[in-house]
Amino acid sequence: MTVIGAVRSIVLECRDPEPLAVFWSQVLGHEIAQRDDDWWALERPTGGPRLAFQVVEDFAPPPWPGRTGEQQIHLDVEVDDLDRGTEEVVRLGARILSDVVDEDGDPWRVFADPAGHPFCLVSFA
């Protein structure tokens, strides 16, 4: 198989990248590596793709729940304890959107980050 490239960044659009970068830095423990007026980026201390935040003036968060195709992308974050993870992300500014149990019986909780992007916490413990 021919490799054309590698994922450099996963980019979330937003109106204001600073508070979103701070939120996700605290949730994931990633370092803020780049700060500009319209672009902030986090890097994992262990490497891998960056999580970045780009200004879009007319940004509107995706609806939840939405029709197929409206959400487009979300992050799944694995935690050791779903209830403790919930307390922490809510303290940092997330809001709970719904609880889900998948077909294997694993509980998931869906949140919106401070800009309204959906993300999930899941614990397989």
Side-chain angles (χ1 to χ4, degrees), residues 27 77 79 82 85-86 89 107-111 119-123:
V27 169
V77 178
V79 295
L82 188 58
T86 295
V89 298
W108 294 67
R109 194 159 288 141
V110 184
F111 300 84
F119 71 96
C120 298
L121 292 186
V122 63
S123 178

Side-chain angles (χ1 to χ4, degrees), residues 31 36 38 45 51 61 65 74-75 77 79 86 94 106 111 113-114 123:
E31 298 172 7
D36 294 319
D38 61 354
L51 184 58
H74 71 273
L75 302 177
V77 178
V79 295
T86 295
D106 295 314
F111 300 84
D113 71 13
S123 178

Side-chain angles (χ1 to χ4, degrees), residues 25-43:
S25 174
Q26 293 173 339
V27 169
L28 300 174
H30 295 187
E31 298 172 7
I32 296 174
Q34 186 176 355
R35 306 165 199 235
D36 294 319
D37 290 340
D38 61 354
W39 178 272
W40 283 53
L42 307 179
E43 290 185 356

Side-chain angles (χ1 to χ4, degrees), residues 51-73:
L51 184 58
F53 313 93
Q54 181 178 15
V55 170
V56 172
E57 295 300 326
D58 60 350
F59 170 76
W64 185 270
R67 295 186 314 266
T68 302
E70 286 181 323
Q71 183 181 337
Q72 297 183 13
I73 188 171

